[in-house]
Amino acid sequence: MSGAVAELLEVLELEKLEENLFRGRSPQDSWQRVFGGQVIGQALVAACRTVEDRQPHSLHAYFLLGGDPKVPIIYEVDRIRDGRSFATRRVVAIQHGRPIFALTTSFHLEEEGFEHGARMPQVPPPEDLPGEAEIRAGAIPSMSPQVRAYFERERPIELRPVDHQRTAQADPHEGEFRVWIRTTGPLPDDPAIHRSVLAYASDFTLLDTSLVPHGQSVIQTNIQAASLDHALWFHRPFRADDWLLYAQDSPSASGARGFSRGLVYDRAGRLVASVAQEGLVRERKRQPDLPPK
């Protein structure tokens, strides 16, 4: 197991404080705010700790305040309902006495039913695409020191973009981004871990997709970006340590908000999850030059 994957599993291994009350920590990676996918993943783990014999099939979340990576996050779980087929949980993440994030998730007892799924786009397999190290080598010189430090460190999720040059080709009518993703090492067999890891990874590139039509990226210093809400549906079992195609598009951006969607497929072409998100995407206003004193 890679060191980064081991660290991710430690981040997702919450400390139980009391019944329905858990504590999570953030990796000390110098970011000023907690990564949104981390809070989604930890909140889902907290909810899963209170449900037996069922797996989460959907979650809906709101980011309320930026998280402080220097202090732990407390997750309070409300057991809203336990039915014969479904269970519902609400999770509130708290820091400094205030809620920073709220998630509602539903669990379903596995059962048979109708089957269909959208077809996976025809894309090159991950083995035929440049690795993340090759892409980083060309992009790192233009990054800010903070972003460069993040991309140079070992990370738990490997990304192999199908459209790695799309951000340089602005087209107001096209907003698609497709990327293969997987953990950089094997994961335990627990299905809840794989769903929590995908919840974590689903926030990586989705917001950035709404800037693709404009030739911009969230890593640029002139862009202010933040996730506002996030929804995720799990359709079929999968492994997050095997390649998954994350096919994303952005139907709309307006009013300083970008809306993006994603479909996640396994190597066999099965649709395993769907994602939707709206986020703040605002161009920072340049400060006017002040006259000399």
Side-chain angles (χ1 to χ4, degrees):
M1 181 182 298
S2 75
V5 171
E7 182 182 35
L8 173 59
L9 291 176
E10 288 179 10
V11 167
L12 294 176
E13 183 59 37
L14 305 182
E15 177 188 0
K16 184 175 181 179
L17 301 177
E18 185 52 83
E19 199 69 20
N20 305 324
L21 203 61
F22 304 88
R23 177 163 54 198
R25 68 171 187 87
S26 300
Q28 300 304 300
D29 52 16
S30 78
W31 284 97
Q32 294 179 347
R33 293 188 304 178
V34 177
F35 169 52
Q38 173 198 317
V39 188
I40 299 171
Q42 288 182 327
L44 184 59
V45 169
C48 288
R49 294 276 192 89
T50 68
V51 178
E52 295 182 1
D53 303 325
R54 302 171 199 197
Q55 291 296 327
H57 71 91
S58 70
L59 63 85
H60 300 262
Y62 280 93
F63 297 90
L64 308 176
L65 292 171
D68 181 355
K70 299 182 183 65
V71 300
I73 305 173
I74 303 301
Y75 293 92
E76 184 176 10
V77 181
D78 183 4
R79 304 184 185 222
I80 295 177
R81 178 178 182 267
D82 285 295
R84 287 181 296 180
S85 298
F86 292 88
T88 307
R89 298 291 185 265
R90 184 172 186 266
V91 184
V92 177
I94 301 167
Q95 277 189 323
H96 303 296
R98 296 184 297 175
I100 65 167
F101 173 86
L103 173 142
T104 300
T105 181
S106 179
F107 295 76
H108 187 198
L109 191 66
E110 185 175 348
E111 58 181 285
E112 297 296 323
F114 298 105
E115 282 278 342
H116 77 271
R119 291 183 180 178
M120 184 171 73
Q122 294 296 313
V123 300
E127 294 80 9
D128 292 350
L129 297 170
E132 195 172 351
E134 300 172 62
I135 298 172
R136 283 203 311 259
I140 278 179
S142 63
M143 295 178 180
S144 67
Q146 185 186 46
V147 173
R148 184 185 304 124
Y150 171 73
F151 277 95
E152 286 177 337
R153 67 191 289 266
E154 185 185 8
R155 294 192 290 161
I157 306 296
E158 181 179 1
L159 309 175
R160 290 204 178 180
V162 176
D163 321 286
H164 62 276
Q165 294 180 328
R166 285 298 303 277
T167 54
Q169 302 170 357
D171 182 345
H173 302 291
E174 293 292 336
E176 295 182 348
F177 187 73
R178 297 165 297 179
V179 58
W180 290 97
I181 62 174
R182 70 172 178 183
T183 58
T184 54
L187 295 172
D189 291 334
D190 183 357
I193 290 294
H194 290 262
R195 297 189 185 208
S196 297
V197 168
L198 179 58
Y200 170 91
S202 66
D203 192 42
F204 265 127
T205 56
L206 198 56
L207 184 56
D208 211 33
T209 302
S210 64
L211 290 170
V212 167
H214 309 282
Q216 304 286 325
S217 172
V218 296
I219 68 172
Q220 295 173 210
T221 57
N222 66 309
I223 297 296
Q224 180 184 3
S227 301
L228 297 175
D229 64 353
H230 195 94
L232 174 57
W233 295 264
F234 300 106
H235 307 307
R236 294 170 178 83
F238 62 89
R239 292 194 66 92
D241 52 6
D242 196 3
W243 287 113
L244 299 169
L245 178 66
Y246 195 5
Q248 301 152 78
D249 73 333
S250 179
S252 176
S254 64
R257 298 187 313 276
F259 175 68
S260 301
R261 305 174 298 191
L263 298 178
V264 183
Y265 300 86
D266 65 10
R267 288 293 295 261
R270 300 183 312 146
L271 180 65
V272 299
S274 299
V275 193
Q277 184 184 86
E278 187 177 51
L280 172 72
V281 282
R282 176 189 293 151
E283 189 167 14
R284 298 181 190 274
K285 301 299 182 182
R286 180 181 175 183
Q287 296 296 324
D289 294 331
L290 297 176
K293 293 183 179 179

